[in-house]
Amino acid sequence: MSKLKEKLQEKIEAWRPRTTALLKKAGDVKLGDVTIGMALGGARGVKCLVTDISYLDPQEGIRFRGFTIPETLEKLPKVPGGEMPYVEGFLYLLLTGDLPTKADAEEVAKEFKARARVPQYVFDVLRAMPRDTHPMTMLSAAILCMQRDSVYVRRYNEGLGKNDHWDPTYEDAMNLLARLPEIGAYIFRMKYRADTPIAPDFNLDLGGNFAHMMGVAKPYDDVARLYFILHSDHESGNVSAHAGHLVASALSDVYYAASAMINGLAGPLHGLANQEVLRWIQDVMEKMGGKVPTEEEMKKFVWDTLESGQVIPGFGHAVLRKTDPRYMEQRNFCLKHLPDDLIFKYVDLLFRVTPPILEKQGKAKNPWPNVDAQSGVIQWYYGIREYDFYTVLFGIGRALGVMCNIIWDRALGYPIERPKSVTTAMLEELAAKAQPTAAKT
Ligand SMILES: CC(C)(COP(=O)(O)OP(=O)(O)OC[C@H]1O[C@@H](n2cnc3c(N)ncnc32)[C@H](O)[C@@H]1OP(=O)(O)O)[C@@H](O)C(=O)NCCC(=O)NCCS
């Protein structure tokens, strides 16, 4: 058993009594109320999911295992020669809740290397798809076709005690995470670099190897590390994390769950927003003939977009009510590495003019930028200009959080998810009882 798995086992055994005690002694304690607005509003704010991997405070932003983003980046061991931490060490933190030493991070890197071989049939499946297929569809299909290798399914069919479900789930999750960077880079090189995939270099850490397989020089390795860490988890209720959790709750294996997670991420209101941001900015650039607009000109573009009934991509959030710290971290990276880049200047201008406009329009509950408003500009700067691909990068990162959640779901025996639905007539009846006059008008 690997050191990480051993450590995880200890953590799971120590944690289980907490969940059991809560269920047994406090199962009837109320967690909140659900209003008609919440039911019709996409379950916004309904507290009915449990995760200890990350927590999203509306004002403060995300904490991974209790650490803010700046704390996470500062405390995790760094890859020699780079500014950013090992993604492998970050996974150790997400999975166990403990900060890893450099040796712990390197041990996980070793474990990934042992699991990283992508089966040939995955490449065959990718190559059989029309080359203009969206890269998210390719990623989802590549993940799904590996389902045939699920250790969980094999062990389940042999007869698996409930307390042991986490063990083969861990095996599948680690195999998948180890292979995703190569699959992502392969899709990129096959589709956008004249079909010239680059073989992995397993002497490198996950971020370094990904940059190598993408064919992009330093500091893109640090960009990859930062990107995967920032996009890993945003508690459980967002579409991708929730889709993964929901599908896994039926005891579908992690390949089914991760493919569903990718499909949810592919929507323009979720992960696809980062490609929408670049598309929107380039449209503005074209209209401006490539020069930086004045504040007044940029304001007009924002208003024109709103007045045509579209959203401003990269702004707003379902939970956050301030500038996304993931945005700020990437902004700091841009200020350090690409302050004079033309697209960054546009993004910077949007950062200043958009929130007051959204506030004035009065619709968006959060006028501040989210993670997607900033991430495309960095990729563009380092030569990844095929913005259809950006959500694949998000997906590789998001898989880290979703896999940790699913392993813990299995460890704590969370049951199949099954919220209750009601009909519109039932809501109308309830509304009439609560507000007899308002309901009639
Ligand atoms: C993220 C997002 C989907 C959250 O949705 P939400 O929780 O329903 O957001 P709100 O409660 O603030 O929405 C209230 C209204 O404001 C609008 N709104 C929210 N964000 C907006 C934006 N960036 N631009 C224009 N209008 C926006 C909504 O469309 C909605 O309008 P409606 O009442 O006419 O339907 C939404 O802010 C959005 O579409 N943003 C742009 C896409 C994006 O950046 N997605 C990535 C998220 S990480």
Side-chain angles (χ1 to χ4, degrees), residues 44 269-270 273 306 311-312 314-318 363-365 370 372:
R44 206 67 91 260
L269 293 186
H270 191 20
L306 290 175
V311 296
I312 307 298
F315 286 77
H317 199 272
K363 274 169 79 175
K365 294 192 189 70
N370 61 57
D372 291 322

Side-chain angles (χ1 to χ4, degrees), residues 245-287:
H245 167 79
L246 173 68
V247 171
S249 84
L251 298 188
S252 300
D253 59 65
V254 302
Y255 298 98
Y256 283 126
S259 177
M261 167 279 272
I262 292 295
N263 300 344
L265 196 63
L269 293 186
H270 191 20
L272 210 73
N274 60 17
Q275 86 170 49
E276 300 288 311
V277 171
L278 256 251
R279 200 196 303 279
W280 188 84
I281 289 179
Q282 288 190 330
D283 190 38
V284 181
M285 281 171 90
E286 210 170 280
K287 288 181 185 141

